[in-house]
């Protein structure tokens, strides 16, 4: 088991492009000790595993995996969002989504599956294929599928490139296998589109009836999480990118 822990830590170190010496310096240990841990010649304490994981920015779920591989109990609890210990977090999520009305907002997990959304977001999904809104709803697939929002996204090539670039960055950071599956399914290798919309941000230009909504997105996460589910939630909020969009959403 010790060797498996070492293999996992070595994989994360390489993903972060860190040498053993770099990691040792950051963690305040010798590079020899890091080497011994990675090769299974030394059995690290749970505190040492967590110290190394912290320096490597290992996600909480994967930290638990490293601990379990070494025979230790997980350090970070995990609950469903509707479980009693998560009541305050769930209330905060609901409050954020409600406060953002009449603008769309949603909550996703690391695989971009929909966790929750407000009514303004659901109002934009009226004509998508029913199978795309059956749980679990994947937001990226819903956006880019020809039976989803794709036919109504005016700047589809640009928005697609933006989403896929974000998926690649997130996969590089966390190596979630669900992101790898999404990229394998949706990435056609086309790269950046030739034309781009003007402005400082990439908007989502979504046609709704006779109006084209220009939506700017932001991402919010919980600070200093100690629980796995909390650490993995991301709130995606959309704001009007012009006066016409603001009037349409307020109406």
């Amino acid at each position: 088991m010790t060797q498996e822990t070492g293999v996992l830590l070595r994989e994360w170190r390489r993903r972060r492009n860190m040498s053993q010496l770099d990691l040792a310096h950051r963690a305040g240990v010798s590079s020899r000790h890091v080497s011994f841990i990675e090769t299974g010649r030394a059995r690290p304490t749970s505190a040492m595993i967590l110290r190394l994981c912290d320096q490597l920015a290992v996600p909480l779920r994967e930290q638990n995996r490293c601990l379990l591989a070494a025979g230790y109990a997980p350090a970070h609890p995990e609950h469903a969002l509707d479980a009693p210990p998560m009541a305050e977090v769930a209330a905060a999520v609901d409050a954020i989504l409600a406060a953002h009305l009449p603008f769309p907002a949603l909550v996703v997990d690391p695989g971009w599956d929909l966790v929750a959304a407000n009514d303004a977001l659901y109002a934009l999904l009226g004509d998508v294929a029913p199978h795309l809104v059956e749980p679990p709803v994947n937001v990226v697939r819903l956006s880019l599928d020809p039976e989803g929002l794709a036919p109504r996204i005016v700047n589809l090539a640009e928005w697609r490139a933006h989403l896929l670039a974000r998926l690649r960055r997130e996969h590089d950071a966390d190596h979630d296998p669900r992101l790898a599956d999404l990229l394998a399914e949706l990435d056609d290798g086309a790269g950046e589109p030739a034309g781009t919309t003007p402005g400082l941000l990439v908007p989502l230009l979504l046609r709704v009836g006779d109006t084209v909504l220009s939506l700017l997105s932001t991402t919010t996460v919980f600070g200093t999480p100690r629980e796995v589910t909390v650490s993995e939630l991301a709130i995606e909020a959309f704001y009007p990118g012009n006066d016409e969009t603001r009037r349409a959403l307020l109406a």
Side-chain angles (χ1 to χ4, degrees), residues 59-168:
L60 299 191
R61 181 180 299 279
E62 293 300 313
Q63 291 187 27
N64 282 347
R65 184 184 173 196
C66 290
L67 289 166
L68 288 168
Y72 298 114
H76 310 290
E78 180 179 3
H79 306 90
L81 190 57
D82 58 358
M86 299 283 280
E88 292 182 1
V89 173
V93 168
D94 289 343
I96 292 170
L97 293 178
H100 198 63
L101 289 169
F103 307 141
L106 63 153
V107 182
V108 294
D109 68 13
W112 282 79
D113 284 343
L114 184 67
V115 175
N118 64 12
D119 289 342
L121 187 283
Y122 285 119
L124 302 177
L125 307 180
D127 61 348
V128 303
H131 70 90
L132 291 173
V133 290
E134 293 177 359
V137 178
N138 186 271
V139 174
V140 176
R141 191 175 289 113
L142 177 66
S143 299
L144 302 182
D145 194 286
E147 295 185 287
L149 293 177
R152 292 197 283 121
I153 298 178
V154 176
N155 60 333
L156 179 59
E158 183 181 29
W159 185 250
R160 178 187 182 89
H162 160 71
L163 281 183
L164 294 180
R166 181 169 171 184
L167 287 183
R168 292 188 203 99

Side-chain angles (χ1 to χ4, degrees), residues 227-239:
E227 196 273 349
V228 173
T229 300
V230 176
S231 73
E232 295 179 341
L233 294 177
I235 301 170
E236 303 288 327
F238 289 90
Y239 293 84

Side-chain angles (χ1 to χ4, degrees), residues 2-131:
T2 300
Q3 188 171 6
E4 183 183 350
T5 302
V7 170
L8 292 172
L9 290 171
R10 182 171 64 246
E11 289 177 354
W12 280 105
R13 177 177 61 77
R14 289 175 175 172
R15 289 168 187 168
R16 301 300 187 237
N17 294 315
M18 239 187 253
S19 68
Q20 290 182 345
L21 183 60
D22 291 335
L23 177 57
H25 178 73
R26 295 188 183 195
V29 298
S30 69
S31 58
R32 179 184 177 90
H33 189 47
V34 171
S35 176
F36 277 20
I37 290 173
E38 289 187 356
T39 57
R41 295 176 65 185
R43 184 176 188 268
T45 63
S46 59
M48 177 56 65
I49 292 172
L50 290 174
R51 186 191 304 182
L52 295 174
C53 285
D54 182 58
Q55 298 306 316
L56 294 169
V58 177
L60 299 191
R61 181 180 299 279
E62 293 300 313
Q63 291 187 27
N64 282 347
R65 184 184 173 196
C66 290
L67 289 166
L68 288 168
Y72 298 114
H76 310 290
E78 180 179 3
H79 306 90
L81 190 57
D82 58 358
M86 299 283 280
E88 292 182 1
V89 173
V93 168
D94 289 343
I96 292 170
L97 293 178
H100 198 63
L101 289 169
F103 307 141
L106 63 153
V107 182
V108 294
D109 68 13
W112 282 79
D113 284 343
L114 184 67
V115 175
N118 64 12
D119 289 342
L121 187 283
Y122 285 119
L124 302 177
L125 307 180
D127 61 348
V128 303
H131 70 90

